[in-house]
Amino acid sequence: MRRLLLLLILCGTLANGQAAAEPATIYRGEQTLFADTVWSGEILIDGILTVAPGVTLEIRPGTRVLFTRMDSNGDGVGEHELFSQGTILALGTAAAPIVFTSAQPTPQRGDWGALNMMVGEADNRLEHCRIEYGYRGFHAHFSQASLRAVELRDNLRGAQFQESRVVIVGGRFIDNTNGIQFRDSQVELTACLVAGNQWGIRCVYSDVILRDCEIRDNLINGLNLRGGSLLAEGNRLVGNRRGLYLQESRGSVRGNLLADNSEHGIFLENSTVEVSDNRIVANGRAGIRWLNSAGRLFANQIDSNGVYALINDGDGPVDARGNWWGSADPALIALTVRDGRNRPGMGLVDTSAPLPAAPDISTIPEYR
């Protein structure tokens, strides 16, 4: 029966015109690649395939890698996967991307396990790939990896890292349950799109560089970092519940657009952050929520937010001198701030020396 199912899957692929001219390569059960291997055409993984330490798996442009579904414990997560302790070089092109996907006739999130990089000393590289319908589309643990122009969509977790160094350029994390999550890692994201996920980027105890990314329409938070460091420059965080949520973290947030988030553009909790040259507008509850944090706000545009421009929910002061609040009138500015003046026990916000007009910040992406 199982052989008949595999035959039907392959025949269906042929009928859809998706197979390469060469016959499909099939790996069944638990197998290991002990020598350098090159893939092209169509690969079917009906089990768990391991790349041994010191071995390189090269995947050529246009290759399709399909995983059958096996959920032995009934938890809703498929177990068949590619497990690498060596090096994976999946180098597609824009015209001929590499696809990692489910072999099921009606695919769904979690059909298969992951592209799993474990203790990879070499730099795993994925370029122009699409990864879909996995549990963890891309997973790295104690590894190094670079992803360029890789799209991860319709996975339970688009990408997940632990104790790894990962660089992602031009990545697209779309319609996953969680877009990206990681801990104890060094991660750099440039020109990435993270959209339509439940969580956008969720990370702890990590050093994060975020440049020129668009993080939008995620159900919970755009980016949530706890216990780490962040450099965020030139990003658009729009249409999330919270745009940027930092807990017990430190860093610099400059030249970003934070708009149309349903609660807060920025929420700082027990963090030390310098926030400058940002456009923080049209957020539902407040442009900024500040809770027992340190640092300062300056040269920002903070106006047209739903209820408050700035909420101080901590007992310490907030240095918010030199910003534009939609007005330079101190009385009008005071109406947009909630602090110890109207909530006894909370710290005061210093909004003195307001800018006379909205700053002209050419590095901020257009609000569109």
Side-chain angles (χ1 to χ4, degrees):
M1 182 66 182
R2 186 168 183 80
R3 289 188 177 181
L4 177 60
L5 176 60
L6 293 177
L7 180 61
L8 289 172
I9 289 169
L10 292 175
C11 289
T13 301
L14 284 167
N16 290 330
Q18 294 175 333
E22 59 195 82
T25 300
I26 302 174
Y27 296 90
R28 293 193 179 95
E30 294 192 12
Q31 294 192 43
T32 300
L33 301 178
F34 289 108
D36 291 351
T37 302
V38 177
W39 282 353
S40 62
E42 187 140 292
I43 310 296
L44 182 70
I45 298 180
D46 181 37
I48 298 175
L49 179 64
T50 298
V51 180
V55 172
T56 296
L57 171 60
E58 178 187 345
I59 307 176
R60 291 186 172 165
T63 302
R64 289 176 54 84
V65 183
L66 297 94
F67 298 83
T68 59
R69 181 179 178 88
M70 171 61 74
D71 180 10
S72 62
N73 59 6
D75 65 354
V77 174
E79 296 150 16
H80 291 169
E81 67 178 20
L82 179 60
F83 184 88
S84 177
Q85 294 178 299
T87 302
I88 292 181
L89 300 177
L91 306 179
T93 66
I98 296 167
V99 178
F100 300 87
T101 190
S102 168
Q104 298 305 111
T106 305
Q108 60 184 353
R109 297 177 187 178
D111 271 350
W112 55 282
L115 299 184
N116 217 333
M117 317 292 175
M118 183 68 67
V119 197
E121 296 182 358
D123 188 13
N124 296 281
R125 293 168 54 204
L126 280 70
E127 297 182 6
H128 293 287
C129 297
R130 186 172 80 244
I131 305 171
E132 58 190 14
Y133 302 118
Y135 165 45
R136 296 177 293 196
F138 177 82
H139 179 225
H141 202 168
F142 293 111
S143 297
Q144 298 183 61
S146 62
L147 282 64
R148 182 177 294 271
V150 173
E151 180 173 298
L152 298 101
R153 63 184 311 143
D154 289 306
N155 302 283
L156 288 174
R157 300 175 184 176
Q160 180 175 342
F161 322 125
Q162 296 101 265
E163 291 90 6
S164 295
R165 298 180 62 182
V166 180
V167 175
I168 305 175
V169 178
R172 294 170 58 86
F173 299 81
I174 305 172
D175 296 334
N176 305 281
T177 303
N178 291 347
I180 312 172
Q181 63 185 76
F182 52 90
R183 63 172 174 83
D184 299 295
S185 295
Q186 295 174 292
V187 178
E188 183 172 345
L189 296 101
T190 302
C192 292
L193 172 64
V194 183
N197 308 284
Q198 180 171 334
W199 290 83
I201 302 173
R202 189 180 188 185
C203 44
V204 297
Y205 311 128
S206 296
D207 299 320
V208 184
I209 296 175
L210 189 75
R211 289 193 175 100
D212 302 322
C213 294
E214 181 167 351
I215 303 173
R216 61 172 170 81
D217 302 326
N218 298 288
L219 183 62
I220 303 180
N221 297 325
L223 187 153
N224 190 169
L225 170 63
R226 177 167 58 87
S229 70
L230 171 67
L231 171 61
E233 298 178 322
N235 305 288
R236 299 179 72 247
L237 295 95
V238 298
N240 309 285
R241 180 184 171 194
R242 299 183 181 117
L244 176 61
Y245 184 18
L246 300 182
Q247 302 167 282
E248 301 171 3
S249 295
R250 63 195 183 279
S252 174
V253 178
R254 61 176 181 259
N256 304 280
L257 171 68
L258 300 110
D260 290 321
N261 299 288
S262 61
E263 284 193 9
H264 313 108
I266 301 177
F267 182 5
L268 303 179
E269 181 179 356
N270 299 309
S271 295
T272 301
V273 183
E274 186 171 276
V275 180
S276 66
D277 303 292
N278 301 283
R279 182 171 293 136
I280 306 169
V281 298
N283 296 286
R285 187 160 182 234
I288 301 170
R289 184 181 177 193
W290 189 283
L291 178 59
N292 296 326
S293 293
R296 61 176 183 149
L297 309 169
F298 65 97
N300 300 286
Q301 177 183 351
I302 314 171
D303 66 3
S304 304
N305 293 287
V307 182
Y308 293 102
L310 173 61
I311 295 174
N312 185 10
D313 275 340
D315 55 12
V318 178
D319 182 354
R321 293 172 292 172
N323 296 283
W324 170 247
W325 307 89
S327 172
D329 184 338
L332 293 177
I333 294 173
L335 294 175
T336 70
V337 174
R338 190 180 78 176
D339 64 0
R341 293 176 180 85
N342 44 39
R343 291 190 67 209
M346 300 296 100
L348 299 179
V349 177
D350 185 352
T351 59
S352 62
L355 298 177
D360 179 13
I361 306 169
S362 60
T363 58
I364 293 182
E366 289 186 7
Y367 179 27
R368 56 187 185 274

